[in-house]
Amino acid sequence: MKISKEKFGQSFDALTADYQIIAPIADVNGVNYQVVKNFSEVKQDYLNSKLPPKSFLFPQHEKLLSYKKEGKDVIVKNELKVGKTVLFGIRPCDAKGMLLLDKVFKNDAYTDPYYFERRDNTVVIGVACNKIAPTCFCSSMGISPSSSEGSDIFLIDLGDSYQVEAVTEKGKAIAASLVELVELTTEEQAQVDTIKNAQTTSKVDVATITSKLGTMFNHAYWDTLQEKCIGCNACSFSCPTCHCFDISEEVRKNEGTRVRTWDGCMSPLFTLHGSGHNPRNKHEARWRQRMMHKFNYFVQNNGDIACVGCGRCIKSCPVNLDIRQAIDGVNKAELVVE
Amino acid sequence: MEQNPYIPIKMRLAKNLVETEDRNINTFTLEFLNKEDEENFKYMPGQFAELSAFGYGEAPFGIATSPTEPGVLKFSVAKVGCVSNALHLMEEGTMVGVRGPMGNYYPLEEFKGKNLVIIGGGFAFTTLRSLAVYMLDEKHRGDYGDITVIYGARNPGLLLYKDELAEWENNPNINLVTTIDRPAEGWTKHVGFIPSITEQIAPSSVDTYAVVCGPPAMIKFTLPVLEKLNFPPERIYTSLEMRMKCGLGICGRCNIGTEYVCKDGPVFSMAQLKELPNEY
Ligand SMILES: Cc1cc2nc3c(=O)[nH]c(=O)nc-3n(C[C@H](O)[C@H](O)[C@H](O)COP(=O)(O)OP(=O)(O)OC[C@H]3O[C@@H](n4cnc5c(N)ncnc54)[C@H](O)[C@@H]3O)c2cc1C
Ligand code: SF4
Ligand code: SF4
Ligand code: FES
């Protein structure tokens, strides 16, 4: 089924009454997800946003609580406030990234209320990629430029209209509010099929990376791999699956807030103990952690590789450290029998 | 929705006691403000909590009390940075934030019917105190065999819980061995590092578990001694420390391989540690 963009735009604008709508827009920094009020603001054809939309579920900086000291007493206030949100124009890699984050923010013992309040109140409208960047390699990660996994509604852009697929129950409810859904023409169906068959040209081989890494903790490869890295964390901050955070306090006189902010394992301070001991005191240990976490530990703990092949870390690294080459390097590294 | 695990409960700092001669470690006695908070805070020896000094932040500390000591929680804290300094300077009566209990605990079920050798170095003795007090409690003492505690510090002034140690000296239910690194005036007990004192005392490993906690170097040199005494890795337990933030297995800071020390630890057996990468 399809809907004309004109009609879709009307439904979209109507949704702003009940939802905050986050969608890609173009600004001086490139394409970014922001709050939009009108469908006409939305950037339709783009390769990928600079930062992933994970920040709407897990903000770069958010208040956990606030407090006020009164003499020896203190008043503590929960700062969890969440509204209904639609994330529009989400690419398949980022939608899958959210499914991976879900596994992090809920474990056998705890559910993160800040993340899941937002998650439960969010509808994801995904859009297939008609153009594929040279840095994209999602096809190697079990995703594809047109996979609907992780989206509640999935759209394929046909120029003047969208093909509409309601993926989840949540998505069906929204899809029901879209008026005048009509059948695709034969030509349009052919267009859909072409888009659905597209794959990324860039590919990596991850068939055996998990087991290979399992034998590589003490491998000399880590030493060569990290040589250029300056530990800036740009790779982690731009990654839709990275989720590590810091908790700190912002204080003014007797009042303050406790906030959490993105953090990443590429920073030397990340694991520094109060005693001065640092279990990961070298770049090689930190790059190893990055690779191990994404391609071995996460797979063991959650059953999936924690990389969706979006290529953002490749584009954002100031020294051109390319995770695809890191993967190739692991594949090629000779096994050392210990 | 279940309770928000990031929001601390408030506890009143009932006592701020200078514990060691160098004034670097204080023991804080925190009082529950109400029965409900106390009932929700069900813990076991080996667990820890995140303490908030409002205005400074949060840090994880081992719980030094045992669940057999109701009404309060005690923490012995070394002054190293922002939160620990703020706690040291705190006036009695001030509200402290507490999140927890967190992490796993010593496998007390597994210890039942067995002898225990508890080996502690420096101020890491906190959760070992919790363990010893728990087992010494009249409700539990019958569950365990001989209890031996080997506890060392650099000098006598740095030993924690001196009153309690004096009591244990005369308690037939526990065999206490204290040691200091170098001879000191008035000290008539053992002198020497924990590994060599352990070797000297040579506790039998028959039907016995060992629990070791202390600075990494102490653990590293004590393990071979225990192995020589025929303790298998499955019967040696230790507590690890990592830099922590959330304490919930979410922030991603404290992992060793696939394990999150805050959630899957901090207590691990040596057999478990042998399976993990050496990154702690
Ligand atoms: C499970 C667990 C249980 C623990 N139990 C106890 C306990 O019972 N008692 C106890 O005292 N501690 C305990 N700790 C350690 C305690 O958590 C840290 O000492 C604490 O985080 C210090 O917090 P802080 O805010 O005072 O220090 P911070 O301000 O966080 O200071 C530590 C940081 O400051 C810097 N820093 C400060 N001092 C130094 C230094 N000497 N050398 C180099 N860098 C330095 C470093 O950046 C370091 O990471 C435990 C830790 C864990 C994980
Ligand atoms: S590791 Fe790089 S390519 Fe993979 S999901 Fe993260 S940013 Fe994208
Ligand atoms: S972006 Fe590049 S330089 Fe920066 S931490 Fe990542 S790999 Fe290192
Ligand atoms: S402290 Fe956050 S994951 Fe362990």
Side-chain angles (χ1 to χ4, degrees), chain A residues 61-69 74-81 112-114 118 245-252 254-261, chain B residues 3-10 50-59 95-100 102 245-246 248:
Chain A
H61 174 278
E62 79 178 301
K63 287 182 189 173
L64 296 178
L65 58 88
S66 61
Y67 63 85
K68 190 171 182 184
K69 290 202 262 189
V74 61
I75 314 291
V76 180
K77 214 169 98 214
N78 189 342
E79 286 286 338
L80 178 54
K81 285 185 209 88
D112 189 290
Y114 301 85
R118 290 199 189 84
F245 59 81
D246 193 9
I247 298 177
S248 57
E249 270 179 46
E250 295 177 352
V251 189
R252 195 162 175 275
N254 287 325
E255 290 180 45
T257 49
R258 182 164 296 163
V259 297
R260 76 167 164 199
T261 42
Chain B
Q3 217 186 329
N4 184 332
Y6 293 94
I7 307 289
I9 57 162
K10 286 195 289 184
E50 287 272 351
L51 295 192
S52 296
F54 291 102
Y56 301 89
E58 252 188 338
M95 293 301 169
V96 174
V98 180
R99 288 200 294 134
M102 288 166 169
K245 284 291 174 177
C246 70
L248 311 170

Side-chain angles (χ1 to χ4, degrees), chain A residues 8 24 44 46 87-93 95 124-130 144-147 151 153-157 162:
Chain A
F8 182 86
Q44 299 270 348
Y46 71 102
L87 293 179
F88 175 82
I90 303 302
R91 297 301 191 199
C93 54
V124 176
I125 302 184
V127 182
C129 304
N130 291 7
S144 87
S146 64
S147 80
S151 294
I153 300 184
F154 193 66
L155 306 177
I156 294 180
D157 191 336
Y162 288 119

